[in-house]
Amino acid sequence: MENIPIMLQHSGEWDDNNNFINFHVDAILIKTYWKFEQLLREIAKQLQKDSKTIVIQYVIAQGYPPITICSDMSVSVYMELKKSSAGMTTLPLCMSFAKNTIAASTSSFDVAPISPEIALFESTDMITTFDVQEGDDAILELDDANIITDQFQQNVEKGQIYEDKNLLALVMKQYAVREKCQYRVHKSCPRSCLTDKRFCSQKQAVSAFVAAVVQDKLVDPKTIYTPTDIQRDIQKAYGMDLSYMQAWRSKEKAMQLLRRSPSESYKKMPTYLYMLEYANPGSVTRLHTEGDGSFLYAFIAIYASIRGWVYCRPTVVVDGSFLKSTYRETTLTASTQDAEGQILPLAYAIIDSENDASWEWFFVQLRETYGQREGMCIVSDRHDAIWKATSTVYPEVPHCACMFCLWNNIKTNFRKNQKQIKEVYFALARAYTVEEFNRHMTELEAIDSRVKTYLMDIGYDKWSRAHSKANRTMTMTSNIAESVNAANKHARDLPVVNLLDFMTTLIQKWNYTNRKDAMELFMKIGAKYEKILADNTILSQTMTVLPSTEFLHLVIDGQTRNMVRLYERNCSCGRFQLDDISCPHAMAVIQKFHMDSYKYCSDYYNIDYLLKTYEIPVNPLPDETTWQIPEHVSSQVVLPPKGKIKPGRPKKKRGIRNWEGNTVTCALCGRKGHNRRTCRNIPKRD
């Protein structure tokens, strides 16, 4: 007889759109002459399940409700349909399994079948069972409204029927806590769960119960609710003393109840990224996995940010920050500033680990999304992987170091005269002219010549404004990247999809707030730059202006003489051209001849540019129950990152990285790798 290969989709569930989801796959060969009992027996054997718990269904077309195979005739109909279809993957059989006690009615059945034993409560002190012998034709007529589904059920009495065994166990644990008693399970099987004893302690007050009690307090990731808080609240509410680890495990379970397990979150990544692009057309999402489906990288750039980037100065600040979730990933961000000096996140990514390959992949996606603009500049800390990646992906774009990150390295490597070095170093970094820079460098050399050599080896153009190959204007630090990291600090222990959604929602909130504020402004430039103009105007009041031509003026400021060229937006002090806004000397000229000071400010400070930056809103994603995902997306398999998960509590704080100055330097001999207590380089006295 003919053998027909059949795909078995099992251990899944039906969603509201009659799609079988979250299933595992198996296969079986069946004969065309098989009857229902033989088909059921062979499937149970293949899946190693009890045949009495298996429900066999299939869908003839998308949008139709599932058809249940429950008789010889329904098997014959399925065989005829299968013969006329091509391929093993068509018309798969969908296997679901009956619950432990009693299942609620579904759209496919008027009355759900009753299991051989239904747990009923004889009294609040013990549980007995009502037996229905196998083979009986009796079916208990139930109203869905009478089936208990609330995990916080308070009233426990005879005649109650619970949705499943797990719910029954949870209700009993809560009952034991309230009554300050303990129960012993006399028998536990797939059909019933019995209790018959009462004790005088609260052994059943385990993490599952506590998790159900406290989960509502953990909905907002910004809420700080520690295991110590859980210990206090449970003791106050129920008079019970939990150990710290019990409270910690309870919190972990509560987080899992709210956000599912971290491993399951990776399965949702393809559908989430698809819906993000669907809700925000023009957005760019990228998902990169290994050959076996293990997660490597994910990248998101929302269209509102892509469009707004055109109206912002082309200075990109990038940074990475470790995550506190199970798989210890890292998040990468790229941001810029708008005409108000506020943060505009350009892109964000999650990677398995921070290394050369992941940073290069991130910059490749960034360049493909945003391209390269004239005058573009990248600012970051001195992480080696970032500098290697930019030299490969953006070889022609200047890369500048955050002056504060560099100072932390100097502070670690050179411990003597730090107060004097700090003052001179920041004057060097902020100097507007080479002459001013050289004057301060002479001061630094007199304090500690080793620091000069260290800074020279790095390259003056990497950290000095006067020597920079690009106009950094006022972006001398990576502070805006650190601000983004601070904003997502409390979300960094969320599962991966929840974290991505948090970032999307954060950008949506910032986009709306900044657009609303921009529409209410009555100034011509951003408030930050309006204040700079006002301060420069005050400073210009004591200056003397001596015109040479219409656009060339000599401005005397005390003992200094400064040449201002308005047409070229240039001043010999260096501030006019580097800050892209009128310096005090230029303002002296503008005030003397009653000119329009806004005419000599960069367009990137203009309110019109600010409004255009937020012209496109960030659209929120619809409720997950309404998502319609194409098969080629929903079938994509994404597994958690490879690597062993460390046992115990994950770290919540970052350790100092080597490239940020984690090398110990001896205060006695000046060498690295040891401290003064273990120094062996100083000769011992006789």
Side-chain angles (χ1 to χ4, degrees):
M1 291 294 179
E2 181 182 1
N3 291 325
I4 301 179
I6 301 294
M7 177 182 289
L8 304 179
Q9 298 178 350
H10 63 92
S11 304
E13 57 185 358
W14 295 97
D15 64 12
D16 295 338
N17 298 320
N18 293 319
N19 296 317
F20 198 62
I21 60 174
N22 300 331
F23 55 82
H24 299 281
V25 177
D26 209 324
I28 191 174
L29 283 175
I30 67 175
K31 306 290 187 180
T32 56
Y33 61 85
W34 279 2
K35 302 300 183 182
F36 173 69
E37 290 296 332
Q38 190 169 3
L39 174 64
L40 182 62
R41 184 168 57 253
E42 292 298 324
I43 291 176
K45 181 179 178 181
Q46 178 69 17
L47 300 181
Q48 297 182 353
K49 295 286 186 178
D50 185 354
S51 62
K52 297 176 182 178
T53 66
I54 297 177
V55 179
I56 309 174
Q57 296 175 298
Y58 66 96
V59 176
I60 58 174
Q62 187 174 4
Y64 283 81
I67 298 175
T68 303
I69 296 179
C70 56
S71 64
D72 294 342
M73 177 60 72
S74 57
V75 173
S76 299
V77 172
Y78 175 79
M79 293 295 186
E80 293 299 319
L81 291 173
K82 189 64 180 176
K83 288 178 183 178
S84 61
S85 62
M88 178 179 175
T89 58
T90 58
L91 293 177
L93 291 179
C94 304
M95 265 22 85
S96 54
F97 306 104
K99 295 182 178 179
N100 294 333
T101 54
I102 181 169
S105 298
T106 66
S107 59
S108 302
F109 300 93
D110 293 332
V111 179
I114 303 301
S115 63
E117 293 182 348
I118 302 174
L120 301 176
F121 288 101
E122 183 67 31
S123 68
T124 58
D125 292 340
M126 63 182 300
I127 301 175
T128 61
T129 60
F130 171 77
D131 295 328
V132 180
Q133 299 298 326
E134 295 187 17
D136 289 353
D137 295 331
I139 294 181
L140 183 62
E141 296 291 340
L142 295 177
D143 184 356
D144 288 351
N146 295 327
I147 298 176
I148 296 174
T149 60
D150 183 11
Q151 64 180 2
F152 297 106
Q153 172 71 19
Q154 297 285 324
N155 185 29
V156 180
E157 59 185 21
K158 179 180 178 180
Q160 292 176 329
I161 301 176
Y162 288 79
E163 184 181 36
D164 55 39
K165 178 181 172 183
N166 292 333
L167 178 64
L168 174 62
L170 184 58
V171 170
M172 284 304 300
K173 290 174 184 177
Q174 297 180 28
Y175 172 80
V177 171
R178 291 195 307 272
E179 298 297 324
K180 292 183 172 54
C181 68
Q182 177 185 339
Y183 64 85
R184 177 170 60 86
V185 178
H186 175 70
K187 180 182 179 183
S188 179
C189 69
R191 297 181 298 175
S192 65
C193 182
L194 309 178
T195 64
D196 61 357
K197 297 285 184 176
R198 185 182 178 99
F199 297 92
C200 300
S201 61
Q202 300 89 39
K203 184 178 179 181
Q204 274 70 32
V206 292
S207 55
F209 160 68
V210 179
V213 173
V214 304
Q215 63 177 334
D216 289 342
K217 297 184 179 181
L218 298 168
V219 174
D220 187 352
K222 292 184 179 181
T223 301
I224 300 176
Y225 193 58
T226 66
T228 303
D229 296 329
I230 295 176
Q231 288 179 290
R232 181 198 62 230
D233 291 349
I234 294 299
Q235 202 284 329
K236 183 177 180 180
Y238 300 100
M240 297 179 50
D241 295 325
L242 298 179
S243 69
Y244 184 88
M245 288 309 299
Q246 281 180 315
W248 180 79
R249 286 192 293 268
S250 300
K251 181 179 178 181
E252 293 297 304
K253 287 188 178 182
M255 299 290 286
Q256 185 172 343
L257 288 172
L258 289 171
R259 301 166 184 131
R260 300 181 182 178
S261 68
S263 59
E264 290 182 0
S265 186
Y266 289 93
K267 299 177 183 178
K268 296 175 58 179
M269 289 193 72
T271 57
Y272 178 81
L273 296 179
Y274 171 83
M275 287 304 301
L276 187 62
E277 288 193 46
Y278 177 83
N280 295 272
S283 299
V284 175
T285 65
R286 297 285 187 269
L287 179 61
H288 186 54
T289 61
E290 296 191 64
D292 61 355
S294 299
F295 172 82
L296 280 177
Y297 319 128
F299 173 93
I300 293 178
I302 299 178
Y303 180 65
S305 297
I306 298 174
R307 178 68 177 273
W309 156 252
V310 179
Y311 302 101
C312 297
R313 182 172 293 281
T315 301
V316 181
V317 181
V318 299
D319 192 25
S321 180
F322 82 110
L323 299 182
K324 297 171 280 189
S325 57
T326 303
Y327 295 95
R328 311 293 203 279
E329 310 98 324
T330 299
T331 179
L332 309 181
T333 60
S335 307
T336 189
Q337 289 179 290
D338 60 20
E340 185 72 306
Q342 299 167 130
I343 303 171
L344 175 67
L346 299 176
Y348 48 101
I350 294 178
I351 58 175
D352 62 336
S353 61
E354 195 172 7
N355 51 47
D356 295 354
S358 58
W359 269 111
E360 182 174 339
W361 183 86
F362 177 76
F363 278 114
V364 167
Q365 311 313 313
L366 189 69
R367 179 156 190 162
E368 290 180 354
T369 303
Y370 287 95
Q372 179 182 335
R373 288 170 55 188
E374 183 180 357
M376 185 173 174
C377 173
I378 297 173
V379 179
S380 73
D381 56 33
R382 298 195 62 245
H383 194 299
D384 290 339
I386 302 178
W387 290 77
K388 290 178 182 178
T390 55
S391 64
T392 302
V393 182
Y394 284 106
E396 63 280 12
V397 174
H399 189 166
C400 302
C402 167
M403 65 178 183
F404 280 117
C405 297
L406 182 55
W407 164 245
N408 288 332
N409 291 353
I410 296 173
K411 186 170 59 173
T412 302
N413 294 325
F414 307 97
R415 297 182 179 275
K416 295 182 179 180
N417 302 316
Q418 285 193 358
K419 186 175 181 180
Q420 295 173 278
I421 293 174
K422 179 179 181 181
E423 183 179 350
V424 177
Y425 163 74
F426 281 109
L428 276 167
R430 295 189 174 106
Y432 281 95
T433 63
V434 175
E435 294 76 15
E436 183 184 359
F437 178 89
N438 292 336
R439 186 170 65 254
H440 291 303
M441 184 58 75
T442 302
E443 297 174 15
L444 180 63
E445 188 174 14
I447 299 172
D448 193 334
S449 60
R450 295 178 304 162
V451 181
K452 176 184 178 181
T453 304
Y454 177 79
L455 294 173
M456 186 181 299
D457 291 341
I458 294 174
Y460 292 163
D461 61 304
K462 304 299 183 185
W463 54 274
S464 165
R465 176 156 47 192
H467 288 86
S468 179
K469 297 178 181 178
N471 187 1
R472 301 174 62 173
T473 60
M474 306 172 195
T475 310
M476 297 297 296
T477 70
S478 58
N479 284 356
I480 63 172
E482 297 294 343
S483 297
V484 175
N485 291 338
N488 64 36
K489 175 182 178 181
H490 300 292
R492 275 186 257 159
D493 58 352
L494 297 178
V496 58
V497 168
N498 299 80
L499 175 59
L500 291 176
D501 191 56
F502 178 89
M503 289 296 298
T504 304
T505 305
L506 180 67
I507 295 175
Q508 173 190 330
K509 176 183 176 181
W510 286 358
N511 179 282
Y512 168 78
T513 302
N514 294 342
R515 180 174 63 254
K516 182 175 179 292
D517 292 344
M519 295 175 64
E520 296 173 355
L521 288 176
F522 58 88
M523 297 176 286
K524 294 184 178 180
I525 60 175
K528 173 182 177 179
Y529 305 105
E530 183 71 49
K531 185 179 184 306
I532 293 175
L533 270 186
D535 292 342
N536 290 346
T537 301
I538 295 173
L539 293 174
S540 69
Q541 301 300 315
T542 59
M543 298 179 185
T544 303
V545 178
L546 300 175
S548 175
T549 67
E550 184 178 1
F551 294 102
L552 176 61
H553 302 81
L554 173 64
V555 179
I556 300 176
D557 179 13
Q559 300 299 318
T560 63
R561 298 162 63 89
N562 299 275
M563 305 299 296
V564 177
R565 296 175 175 84
L566 284 180
Y567 184 75
E568 301 173 10
R569 297 189 181 185
N570 181 283
C571 180
S572 58
C573 74
R575 295 189 178 186
F576 198 177
Q577 55 270 35
L578 291 184
D579 288 348
D580 247 357
I581 194 170
S582 302
C583 65
H585 311 115
M587 284 304 300
V589 177
I590 291 171
Q591 290 293 311
K592 180 177 179 63
F593 295 100
H594 307 290
M595 298 179 181
D596 184 3
S597 60
Y598 300 111
K599 179 181 178 181
Y600 300 98
C601 295
S602 171
D603 290 338
Y604 294 120
Y605 306 151
N606 194 288
I607 290 299
D608 291 338
Y609 269 44
L610 181 62
L611 290 170
K612 291 179 180 179
T613 300
Y614 300 104
E615 190 174 29
I616 304 298
V618 178
N619 298 321
L621 272 64
D623 188 80
E624 188 175 350
T625 58
T626 65
W627 292 4
Q628 296 183 3
I629 310 296
E631 185 178 355
H632 73 277
V633 176
S634 59
S635 62
Q636 187 174 351
V637 177
V638 180
L639 304 175
K642 292 181 178 178
K644 184 178 179 180
I645 301 176
K646 296 181 180 180
R649 297 173 57 187
K651 289 184 178 180
K652 301 299 183 181
K653 294 184 179 180
R654 181 190 69 173
I656 300 176
R657 296 173 280 193
N658 288 333
W659 46 268
E660 288 186 335
N662 196 26
T663 303
V664 178
T665 303
C666 178
L668 295 178
C669 68
R671 297 184 182 182
K672 298 179 180 179
H674 65 276
N675 57 28
R676 63 187 302 164
R677 295 180 60 187
T678 59
C679 181
R680 297 181 180 179
N681 299 320
I682 304 299
K684 294 183 179 180
R685 296 180 180 178
D686 295 333

